[in-house]
Amino acid sequence: MNFAFTPDQLALAATVRDVLAEHCPPRALRTERLPAWERLAGVGFFGLLVPPEADGLGLGLVDAVPALEETGRACLPGPVVETAIVAPYLLPGVPKLASGAVRVSVVPPGGACAPDADLADLLVVARPDGPRLVSKDAVRLTPRPGADPCRPLFEVAYADSASLERPLAPALLRATVATAAQLIGVARRLLDESVAYARTRTQFGAPIGSFQAVKHRLADVAIAVSFAAPLVHRAAVSVDAGAATADRDASAAKAAAGEAASLAARAALQTHGAIGYTEELDLRFWLARAWSLSAAYGSGSAHRAAIRDAVLGGDTRRYP
């Protein structure tokens, strides 16, 4: 089986990376809530999964994985996964999704808060009796504390809502894999920043990158990322194919990607020292993103428990 991204998928990711490098630099994270949003819409990012009859490209989740990694690498603010991945599945008939003009946020099962809800035109709220759709005119938002300043959380209350015909679980499965892809991008960026700093920061007359303790810590991060990234790719393939292993594969991807990003965050903070968490250093944005996305759509422990239950229940199937 050829388990590599196609030239078209990689070309899309390269385009997204170039757009984000120009329009979502670290300084934009301090002042803007939606940097590069319109530019990404212009290259078709928000229409990747939107059906062709709704002006989208009608591609699969696996086609979006490399581009989603780039949004993590750039720490792109805004409800990216919810608008680009969840909405095309749950709300295929909503106009202007492909243009990015309609933004969507999600209150997941068991939660009361939605990320970036103040930027959303529509909110999807998980309820025991099925998902509900709430417009921004009918919602009341209360800010809640969170780890990520570029991904603020809001408690959602509403007076009016509409039921959704499509089930929420498949959409959340896609969101889980997409968030795992973003975590891979975050981990890669943290590793790059740590390596660059270790090459220039000197102690005892030598770059700290020459010390074995630092080398080994960063090598552990590189190994963790190299193991997690294929799991994310595999999960996207499984979800697109509607495979019986899709739930288990998505849990494996999210657990591994979250742990790789958390490991990268710890290594970055230890490599940089106390300066790593100061307000002046941009590194803090990626540290916070690693922590917030690791908890989004299921923590690592929750997904490991799901894998354990599946395996102990006799699910040892392989895909395909």
Side-chain angles (χ1 to χ4, degrees):
M1 181 178 182
N2 183 6
F3 208 60
F5 290 109
T6 67
D8 288 344
Q9 292 165 347
L10 295 176
L12 172 64
T15 300
V16 170
R17 186 172 189 173
D18 291 342
V19 168
L20 293 176
E22 182 177 357
H23 299 285
C24 185
R27 65 177 179 276
L29 302 178
R30 299 176 180 271
T31 58
E32 300 181 46
R33 291 293 307 278
L34 291 170
W37 197 271
E38 292 184 2
R39 297 284 183 167
L40 286 176
V43 300
F45 176 77
F46 294 107
L48 291 177
L49 275 63
V50 176
E53 57 269 22
D55 300 324
L57 298 177
L59 300 178
L61 179 58
V62 70
D63 299 304
V65 164
L68 286 165
E69 282 191 23
E70 296 303 331
T71 66
R73 185 190 291 270
C75 201
L76 179 66
V80 178
V81 166
E82 292 76 15
T83 301
I85 306 300
V86 174
Y89 177 83
L90 281 180
L91 311 168
V94 173
K96 299 184 179 180
L97 272 183
S99 69
V102 175
R103 296 183 292 273
V104 179
S105 188
V106 176
V107 179
C113 296
D116 299 304
D118 60 324
L119 301 175
D121 300 290
L122 298 170
L123 286 101
V124 175
V125 181
R127 292 284 301 274
D129 57 345
R132 309 293 297 182
L133 183 63
V134 185
S135 70
K136 66 178 180 181
D137 298 326
V139 73
R140 298 187 305 276
L141 301 177
T142 305
R144 288 291 179 253
D148 191 342
C150 295
R151 193 173 177 266
L153 299 175
F154 294 85
E155 185 175 328
V156 175
Y158 53 92
D160 190 25
S161 65
S163 62
L164 289 175
E165 295 180 359
R166 292 198 169 191
L168 185 58
L172 294 178
L173 194 64
R174 288 164 170 78
T176 299
V177 178
T179 303
Q182 287 188 310
L183 281 164
I184 295 297
V186 172
R188 293 192 198 278
R189 178 63 178 259
L190 286 167
L191 180 59
D192 289 346
E193 294 290 334
S194 300
V195 170
Y197 185 78
R199 285 173 173 166
T200 58
R201 177 74 166 91
T202 59
Q203 282 188 341
F204 308 111
I208 63 173
S210 65
F211 303 151
Q212 268 196 341
V214 177
K215 286 181 180 179
H216 290 176
R217 187 169 297 280
L218 297 181
D220 287 343
V221 174
I223 291 170
V225 174
S226 67
F227 272 91
L231 290 176
V232 177
H233 189 180
R234 170 195 171 106
V237 172
S238 296
V239 170
D240 280 342
T245 60
D247 287 340
R248 191 191 64 197
D249 291 343
S251 287
K254 182 59 166 59
E259 289 167 7
S262 296
L263 183 64
R266 287 197 301 272
L269 191 54
Q270 290 168 338
T271 301
H272 283 78
I275 194 176
Y277 55 81
T278 58
E279 188 80 17
E280 292 78 13
L281 200 68
D282 294 330
L283 183 73
R284 68 184 179 93
F285 293 113
W286 280 267
L287 295 175
R289 185 56 53 90
W291 297 326
S292 66
L293 291 186
S294 294
Y297 297 106
S299 64
S301 59
H303 282 292
R304 285 200 172 275
I307 299 168
R308 178 201 63 206
D309 292 343
V311 173
L312 292 180
D315 184 3
T316 57
R317 294 169 293 184
R318 300 174 63 185
Y319 178 80

